Amino acid sequence: MEFPTTGTRCSWKECKQLDFLPFQCDHCKLEFCKEHFHAISHSCTQFVDNVTTNTDKLTSYNCSQNSCNQTSVIEMPCVVCKKHFCLAHRYHGCLELSEREKSQEMKKWNKPKEDFAEAKAAVDQTIKEKLKKSKNSAMAIKVQLMKLKGNSTGSQGIPTVDRRYFLVHYPANTKNVGTSKGAFVSISWTMGKTIDSISDLLGIPNSNNVSTSMKLRMFHHETGLVVSEKMDVPLADLFNNKDLIDGQSIILEYCNDHKLDPSVYLSKTF
């Protein structure tokens, strides 16, 4: 061998390989080759002794579950009973709810569902009633329109196709309060011209051209809401937007508010 004195032989008795860069064991301090420098590779007695010594100093925790022999160097106490349990028995009954507690939890979880179901049922019933009322109202207006076409007054110069009919209720402070009569107007007119025409046809005093007087305005008989705040709005727009329906009941009243009490204007004749 060219360098017989260079390097160190592995201390493992079954190896003795000459290694130019030997490793030293951290436990027995002997030098070994790269194959045997691990404590386990050369059965290091110092390593075994250290493990044995350290193990004796460790505290072992026995599982509190009956018939379980599992131990652990890490304590895992139950948050309720404070006893140590192994992973297999960490759910040992302390965290389980009683029947009463289960019932209370179930009620708590079911309450939002019950509230939702109750609210939904109420909304569904309201929608159903409104749809029924809407259908009944639409049918009533159709019947009323048929009657109005045979019992209404209006300008004969209005083409039949342009005529729109209303059952008009008189203002409250007139001798005809509680009385209603049919009138037809032209869909090509504005709201202002419609009110002027109806008031002339039915003999209702109208001072809308006087700036200081109370304005004569058109209201829905069913809700008491004003049909339009603007006098220059085309009647065609109101019909297209379903703000007015051919054959419906309206109220002419001296009022600057947007709503009035429709119960005052009950029909006596038609």
Side-chain angles (χ1 to χ4, degrees):
M1 183 175 291
E2 188 174 353
F3 303 102
T5 60
T6 303
T8 304
R9 293 189 179 276
C10 177
S11 296
W12 178 237
K13 60 183 179 179
E14 297 182 4
C15 179
K16 299 300 182 178
Q17 177 181 336
L18 183 63
D19 198 316
F20 294 100
L21 295 172
F23 297 89
Q24 187 180 62
C25 176
D26 292 334
H27 304 282
C28 64
K29 305 304 180 183
L30 297 177
E31 294 181 331
F32 297 89
C33 69
K34 64 179 181 179
E35 300 293 336
H36 299 111
F37 78 92
H38 290 291
I40 297 176
S41 300
H42 63 265
S43 302
C44 184
T45 56
Q46 295 298 319
F47 174 73
V48 174
D49 290 342
N50 287 340
V51 172
T52 304
T53 302
N54 291 337
T55 303
D56 292 339
K57 294 179 181 179
L58 293 175
T59 302
S60 295
Y61 297 95
N62 297 321
C63 179
S64 299
Q65 182 72 18
N66 295 334
S67 72
C68 180
N69 298 322
Q70 291 290 329
T71 61
S72 173
V73 295
I74 300 175
E75 185 180 16
M76 294 179 288
C78 171
V79 295
V80 179
C81 65
K82 308 303 180 183
K83 295 180 181 180
H84 168 79
F85 289 89
C86 67
L87 291 175
H89 297 112
R90 62 189 182 277
Y91 301 114
H92 53 275
C94 278
L95 299 178
E96 292 184 4
L97 299 176
S98 65
E99 292 301 322
R100 180 182 177 184
E101 289 173 330
K102 288 180 181 179
S103 177
Q104 291 176 342
E105 286 294 316
M106 188 63 69
K107 289 181 180 179
K108 183 175 71 174
W109 284 105
N110 286 336
K111 187 65 167 59
K113 295 181 181 179
E114 294 173 356
D115 291 344
F116 176 79
E118 184 177 347
K120 183 177 183 301
V123 171
D124 290 345
Q125 182 62 29
T126 300
I127 293 174
K128 184 178 179 180
E129 291 176 355
K130 286 186 176 181
L131 287 174
K132 183 178 180 181
K133 183 178 180 181
S134 178
K135 290 180 180 179
N136 292 340
S137 177
M139 180 57 68
I141 291 177
K142 287 182 179 180
V143 173
Q144 182 167 280
L145 176 60
M146 294 175 61
K147 294 181 179 179
L148 286 171
K149 287 183 177 181
N151 297 278
S152 296
T153 182
S155 173
Q156 298 302 314
I158 301 173
T160 303
V161 70
D162 290 340
R163 295 180 183 183
R164 296 297 182 268
Y165 294 81
F166 297 112
L167 180 62
V168 184
H169 295 259
Y170 282 79
N173 294 326
T174 62
K175 63 180 182 179
N176 293 319
V177 60
T179 301
S180 60
K181 290 185 178 181
F184 63 85
V185 296
S186 174
I187 194 171
S188 63
W189 292 350
T190 62
M191 173 58 70
K193 185 173 181 179
T194 298
I195 292 176
D196 291 341
S197 176
I198 293 177
S199 62
D200 288 342
L201 291 170
L202 303 185
I204 299 173
N206 180 6
S207 300
N208 284 356
N209 60 337
V210 180
S211 60
T212 57
S213 66
M214 186 73 72
K215 303 303 179 183
L216 184 63
R217 304 167 77 189
M218 182 186 294
F219 296 82
H220 291 283
H221 182 261
E222 184 177 350
T223 63
L225 293 172
V226 67
V227 175
S228 176
E229 300 278 357
K230 301 176 180 179
M231 293 293 102
D232 59 347
V233 61
L235 214 60
D237 290 352
L238 297 174
F239 276 97
N240 290 335
N241 296 331
K242 305 300 182 183
D243 292 322
L244 285 174
I245 301 174
D246 195 13
Q248 77 173 77
S249 297
I250 61 167
I251 301 167
L252 287 188
E253 184 56 271
Y254 306 101
C255 181
N256 290 331
D257 294 331
H258 69 280
K259 187 176 182 180
L260 47 73
D261 181 8
S263 64
V264 177
Y265 308 88
L266 298 178
S267 296
K268 294 180 180 179
T269 60
F270 172 51

